[in-house]
Amino acid sequence: MKISRVKELLEAEVLCCEEDLETELCSACGCDMMSDVLAYVKNQAVLLTGLVNPQVIKTAEMMDMRCIVFVRSKHPTEDMLRLAEETGLVLLATKFTLFEACGRLYVNGLRGEVG
Amino acid sequence: MAEAITFHYDVDGENFTSAGNASVQVKRKLRQLGFPPEIIKRVSIAMYEGEINMVIHANGGMADVTVSPEEVKIVLTDHGPGIADVSLAMREGYSTAPDNIRSLGFGAGMGLPNMKRYTDTMEIDTEVGRGTTITMTVKVA
Ligand SMILES: Nc1ncnc2c1ncn2[C@@H]1O[C@H](COP(=O)(O)OP(=O)(O)OP(=O)(O)O)[C@@H](O)[C@H]1O
Ligand SMILES: [Mg+2]
């Protein structure tokens, strides 16, 4: 699924790296614990989260992710936007809850793990 | 890159906002140096976990990274409280992190086992009251 499709399904606002919306995402994870993202996530390219701090961006960068979706209309700070911009991470914000946002992507074919 | 290159970082223990910055820098350097993505990811995750640990458990410390065509070596040194029982600390799910750390997204007790998983060697030299030095290597070739 392309990031542009995620944006559409989640009626999301693009906060940074709009030029990369055509990037293809193979799978997703929804999580507020960065410890768990670091320990359990494999090749998921998009992180949906309700947590907002700079470690969310850094964790995603360490995991080679391509996109972060902030749920419940949470917005990252200027510092976080700058970090994401530097590494080329697309940031989206959606009004949906974590459960609802994950569900919308899942029913449209995005999965948690591939192969 | 024929010879080893070293990078040194001071890790600020007062400021959680900057936690992880050294690992971000190292990741970008390894990319510039052209290391394989899989190696870079392993180094990144292991170093990031260790760096966050220094900030949340040890009031900061130092990170020294030595990069050569054969291996990447990460040495994390702190003068925090030390680890009383290393085998207990290595257990998945064991954490002494307080609730305010959990609300920042850390403190599941997964960091040390994850560092071991992503590296080829990991040594923990620690003494209660003196501090902790963790040395990790990731083989490149
Ligand atoms: N540098 C350190 N100095 C002192 N104690 C440490 C240090 N690193 C780890 N510890 C101790 O070992 C425990 C386990 O560490 P580990 O990284 O596995 O989990 P955590 O940091 O508590 O949670 P997580 O890494 O999942 O966010 C910590 O809770 C802490 O008590
Ligand atoms: Mg940890």
Side-chain angles (χ1 to χ4, degrees):
Chain A
M1 183 182 290
K2 285 186 173 164
I3 298 178
S4 54
R5 181 79 177 126
V6 173
K7 168 185 184 280
E8 219 171 81
L9 291 168
L10 301 183
E11 299 166 28
E13 182 189 342
V14 184
L15 307 174
C16 125
C17 297
E18 183 136 31
E19 63 280 9
D20 294 326
L21 286 186
E22 293 317 294
T23 300
E24 193 69 44
L25 304 169
C26 52
S27 64
C29 75
C31 196
D32 285 351
M33 273 305 264
M34 294 306 107
S35 300
D36 288 342
V37 172
L38 288 158
Y40 297 113
V41 169
K42 294 193 185 95
N43 293 309
Q44 283 84 327
V46 51
L47 170 66
L48 296 98
T49 188
L51 185 70
V52 181
N53 66 35
Q55 280 65 36
V56 177
I57 313 285
K58 293 178 219 180
T59 301
E61 179 171 356
M62 294 306 114
M63 301 301 292
D64 294 330
M65 290 177 152
R66 310 306 305 271
C67 176
I68 301 173
V69 180
F70 294 101
V71 299
R72 277 180 285 128
S73 304
K74 296 188 176 184
H75 271 71
T77 60
E78 279 303 316
D79 282 3
M80 292 171 65
L81 286 173
R82 197 162 346 100
L83 261 175
E85 193 78 55
E86 281 168 19
T87 182
L89 254 171
V90 180
L91 302 187
L92 303 177
T94 176
K95 63 177 189 283
F96 296 115
T97 62
L98 183 57
F99 180 80
E100 178 74 22
C102 291
R104 280 174 179 249
L105 300 184
Y106 193 93
V107 295
N108 281 281
L110 197 62
R111 288 294 178 265
E113 247 176 73
V114 276
Chain B
M1 189 184 57
E3 281 159 46
I5 312 175
T6 63
F7 305 109
H8 174 85
Y9 302 91
D10 290 311
V11 176
D12 184 358
E14 302 295 318
N15 176 6
F16 185 75
T17 304
S18 65
N21 284 359
S23 304
V24 168
Q25 294 307 318
V26 166
K27 177 154 199 158
R28 292 178 187 176
K29 293 235 159 73
L30 293 179
R31 276 202 185 130
Q32 285 164 8
L33 290 166
F35 280 89
E38 215 28 60
I39 298 288
I40 298 177
K41 188 171 173 180
R42 289 171 57 202
V43 170
S44 305
I45 295 173
M47 177 170 172
Y48 186 67
E49 293 272 22
E51 184 182 354
I52 300 277
N53 277 356
M54 288 201 295
V55 176
I56 65 184
H57 304 299
N59 202 30
M62 294 180 305
D64 290 279
V65 180
T66 309
V67 173
S68 76
E70 291 79 38
E71 68 169 27
V72 179
K73 181 169 153 194
I74 307 149
V75 182
L76 304 171
T77 310
D78 70 59
H79 301 289
I83 304 173
D85 185 340
V86 172
S87 58
L88 184 61
M90 284 298 298
R91 234 181 257 168
E92 288 193 3
Y94 176 82
S95 176
T96 60
D99 283 346
N100 69 310
I101 294 300
R102 251 174 285 271
S103 69
L104 293 168
F106 293 90
M110 295 306 297
L112 287 172
N114 211 26
M115 288 154 72
K116 179 141 187 81
R117 179 154 69 104
Y118 280 109
T119 54
D120 291 304
T121 68
M122 173 169 151
E123 275 167 39
I124 303 178
D125 178 13
T126 183
E127 193 183 316
V128 172
R130 185 180 57 95
T132 302
T133 299
I134 299 187
T135 305
M136 298 178 282
T137 60
V138 172
K139 303 258 178 285
V140 176

